[in-house]
């Protein structure tokens, strides 16, 4: 791409470093910013600058936060006895969007895979054990990806939590909502049959 | 009934583009060395297994100097048509679809269109290391039992995780004991399922191989076959415990179902060192025919049979017996290659069934 101004070129290159943004999209964004009032562009860059400088991770659950404790952990109406363990912040957003969960979270920051160099020490597991140790937790719900590394992580944490009196559960695995039975893969369908549930517990909305 | 009606190739090995229609149950391909006979069989194999029979990476299957290829086949199973398409894109990404529906996991395709291939190098199953024999057994069971394939994939992933943990332990001088136990327990669970399935499978499969061998070899030597596994004499859990020190020293898992083997013996001695070339060929055909028969029994229809260059391997009578077993008795479709068109024509004529011959 031939760009006459080096100022423009630098800006384009910076935008193009973002995930999912190519050179052409970057150019479009930059040209758009050039057309804006200086105040608007300043607000834009200041917002991003401030976001990066002031963003914090919750010291309790490692979720993204504006202060030392995130607004989920500090919300008095949330049930403090239940913790949902997730892999990353995107999972928190996904589960929050369901509006079905009113407990607290714990963000691990990944799942255990020694092959990829991720051991328990790299993850926020010790802080989870500490939270349980304090004694007010009744249930830990694992909401991790249903694969082997996910299972390894669940079993590992379960072992670490063995000394404490806490119920450990995992989200259900099976046929997805709105899915057609005939298109479900055999493994999922087989699991769904093995872990079938009594109809009286089957609450439809 | 499983029938391949036609296949089209684009930039697959030496085919820039080509299309073949099949209207009979016996299809012969003849032509000189390098004319593309084996490539055509491998393309059919691709449609059944989503990959090459010859363990070549996808990129190496593209025509020279090109990127990407496409194989499309129309198959009919009990009268229902299926369109199977395998595309490797310019960026090397592979897409595999049946009737336009793209697979997210290729493993789900295995066994839908069963197929047995016999190629000259297959004698490695008998002469080479145990991984060839495990591969043979695994490919056969996987076509029958999707759960087995999943267990196998999980086992191999967990084995890698465990070995990488052993390696880290050696490098860093410390080991997360809990994690090691968790991964070992997951490995044990999958390993036990694999062992049970292999044992159960071999109970029927081994007598079938021996019966077929005696039929093909027509001789009096006594062939015996044993499934051998570390798990026979002890539980997997104990085995891992006992070998802990050794595993740590060697930085890998030394015992488990990934060391299983099939042991061939002839008159009590090792088949590998005692058997003649002819006996090896007979055993190879017995193994492959047993796979064919097992698939036929379980699926209720004969799998596709791909025979690559086997005239060099069998005399005329045995060849005739094999062909009549597959195409006349079982009504299965068979694809066969040879360098000599006349020889192939003669052999097919003798069968007294309709056939198609392509001169490549």
């Amino acid at each position: 791409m031939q760009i006459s101004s080096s100022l423009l070129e630098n800006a384009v290159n910076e935008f193009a470093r973002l995930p999912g943004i190519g050179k052409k999209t970057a150019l479009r964004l930059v040209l758009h910013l050039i057309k804006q009032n200086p105040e608007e562009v300043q607000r834009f860059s200041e917002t991003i600058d401030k976001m990066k400088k002031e963003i914090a991770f919750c010291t309790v659950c490692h979720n993204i936060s504006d202060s030392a404790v995130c607004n989920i952990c500090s919300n008095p109406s949330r049930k403090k006895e239940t913790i949902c363990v997730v892999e990353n912040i995107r999972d928190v957003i996904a589960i929050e969007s369901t509006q079905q969960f009113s407990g607290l979270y714990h963000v691990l920051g990944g799942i255990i895979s020694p092959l990829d160099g991720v051991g328990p020490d790299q993850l926020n597991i010790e802080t989870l054990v500490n939270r349980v140790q304090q004694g007010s937790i009744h249930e830990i719900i694992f909401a991790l990806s249903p694969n082997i590394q996910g299972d390894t992580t669940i079993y590992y944490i379960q072992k670490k939590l063995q000394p404490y009196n806490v119920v450990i559960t995992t989200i259900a695995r099976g046929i997805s909502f709105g899915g057609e039975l005939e298109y479900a893969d055999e493994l999922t369908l087989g699991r769904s049959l093995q872990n079938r549930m009594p109809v009286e517990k089957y609450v439809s909305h | 009934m499983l029938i391949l009606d036609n296949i089209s190739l684009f930039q697959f090995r030496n085919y820039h583009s080509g299309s073949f229609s099949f209207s009979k149950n016996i299809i012969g391909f003849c032509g000189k060395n390098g004319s593309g006979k084996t490539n055509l069989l491998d393309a059919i194999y691709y449609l059944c297994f989503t990959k090459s029979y010859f363990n070549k990476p996808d990129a190496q299957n593209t025509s020279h100097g090109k990127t990407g290829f496409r194989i499309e086949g129309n198959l009919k199973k009990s009268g229902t048509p299926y369109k199977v398409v395998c595309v490797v894109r310019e960026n090397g990404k592979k897409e595999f679809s049946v009737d336009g529906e793209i697979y997210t996991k290729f493993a789900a395709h295995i066994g839908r269109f069963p197929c047995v291939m016999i190629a000259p190098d297959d004698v490695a199953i008998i002469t080479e290391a145990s991984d060839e024999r495990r591969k043979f057994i695994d490919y056969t069971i996987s076509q029958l039992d999707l759960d087995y394939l999943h267990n196998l994939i999980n086992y191999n992933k967990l084995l890698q995780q465990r070995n990488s943990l052993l390696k880290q332990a050696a490098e860093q001088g410390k080991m997360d004991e809990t994690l090691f136990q968790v991964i070992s327990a997951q490995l044990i669970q999958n390993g036990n399922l694999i062992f049970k399935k292999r044992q159960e499978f071999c109970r029927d499969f081994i007598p079938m191989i021996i019966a077929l061998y005696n039929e093909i070899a027509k001789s009096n030597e006594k062939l015996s076959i044993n499934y051998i596994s570390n798990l026979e004499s002890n539980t997997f859990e104990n085995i891992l415990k006992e070998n802990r020190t050794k595993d740590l020293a060697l930085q890998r898992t030394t015992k488990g179902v990934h060391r299983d083997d099939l042991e061939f013996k002839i008159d009590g001695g090792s088949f590998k060192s005692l058997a003649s070339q002819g006996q090896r060929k007979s055993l190879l055909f017995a193994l492959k025919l047993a796979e064919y028969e097992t698939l036929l029994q379980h699926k209720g229809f004969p799998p596709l049979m791909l025979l690559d260059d086997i005239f060099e391997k069998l005399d005329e009578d045995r060849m005739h017996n094999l062909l009549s077993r597959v195409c006349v008795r079982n009504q299965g479709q068979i694809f066969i290659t040879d360098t000599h068109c006349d020889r192939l024509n003669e052999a097919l004529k003798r069968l007294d069934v309709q056939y198609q011959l392509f001169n490549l």
Side-chain angles (χ1 to χ4, degrees), chain A residues 127-140:
Chain A
T127 46
L128 177 65
V129 177
N130 289 342
R131 286 175 83 179
V132 174
Q133 213 167 12
Q134 282 158 19
S136 56
I137 311 294
H138 291 164
E139 185 179 358
I140 297 281

Side-chain angles (χ1 to χ4, degrees), chain B residues 93-274:
Chain B
K93 222 172 138 29
K94 179 154 65 177
E95 278 171 19
F96 203 92
S97 67
V98 173
D99 290 335
E101 206 185 324
I102 294 175
Y103 282 103
T104 47
K105 286 204 171 93
F106 294 150
H109 185 70
I110 310 300
R112 276 185 79 177
F113 304 100
C115 147
V116 175
M117 171 105 151
I118 308 181
D121 291 341
D122 283 343
V123 99
I125 297 173
I126 297 157
T127 55
E128 294 301 314
S130 60
D131 60 323
E132 294 284 345
R133 289 178 284 286
R134 279 194 301 278
K135 209 173 104 185
F136 171 69
I137 293 284
D138 288 342
Y139 270 65
T140 309
I141 307 180
S142 296
Q143 291 188 75
L144 306 171
D145 188 338
L146 210 58
D147 273 347
Y148 178 81
L149 183 57
H150 282 291
N151 287 332
L152 201 62
I153 293 170
N154 287 350
Y155 183 88
N156 288 332
K157 278 189 196 154
L158 287 161
L159 191 65
Q160 282 183 315
Q161 297 280 19
R162 191 176 191 268
N163 289 347
S164 127
L165 211 55
L166 287 164
K167 206 164 275 164
Q168 282 168 22
E171 283 162 7
Q172 298 161 4
K174 66 181 169 74
M175 159 89 90
D176 189 322
E177 197 52 47
T178 318
L179 182 57
F180 189 65
Q181 277 174 24
V182 164
I183 290 182
S184 298
Q186 284 179 288
L187 189 75
I188 289 164
Q189 192 196 1
N190 283 289
N192 282 338
L193 289 168
I194 292 168
F195 172 65
K196 225 174 93 190
K197 186 72 204 182
R198 282 184 185 162
Q199 213 176 24
E200 187 190 300
F201 175 75
C202 283
R203 221 170 357 239
D204 296 331
F205 194 58
I206 287 175
M208 198 187 260
I209 302 170
I210 295 175
L212 283 162
Y213 177 84
N214 291 334
E215 196 184 317
I216 296 168
K218 293 199 179 73
S219 61
N220 299 321
E221 70 260 9
K222 195 180 171 308
L223 175 76
S224 65
I225 305 174
N226 284 308
Y227 168 56
I228 295 178
S229 175
N230 300 142
L231 273 67
E232 276 169 321
S233 51
N234 206 339
T235 64
F236 198 5
E237 201 177 343
N238 286 338
I239 291 170
L240 287 183
K241 259 186 214 149
E242 281 167 15
N243 288 281
R244 197 192 140 93
T245 328
K246 196 173 161 196
D247 285 2
L248 275 165
L250 293 171
Q251 301 175 31
R252 62 187 159 81
T253 310
T254 50
K255 294 268 165 72
V257 292
H258 58 290
R259 306 300 296 258
D260 284 2
D261 200 356
L262 277 185
E263 182 191 53
F264 304 121
K265 281 193 162 169
I266 187 159
D267 292 332
S270 155
F271 190 90
K272 210 196 268 191
S273 47
L274 292 177

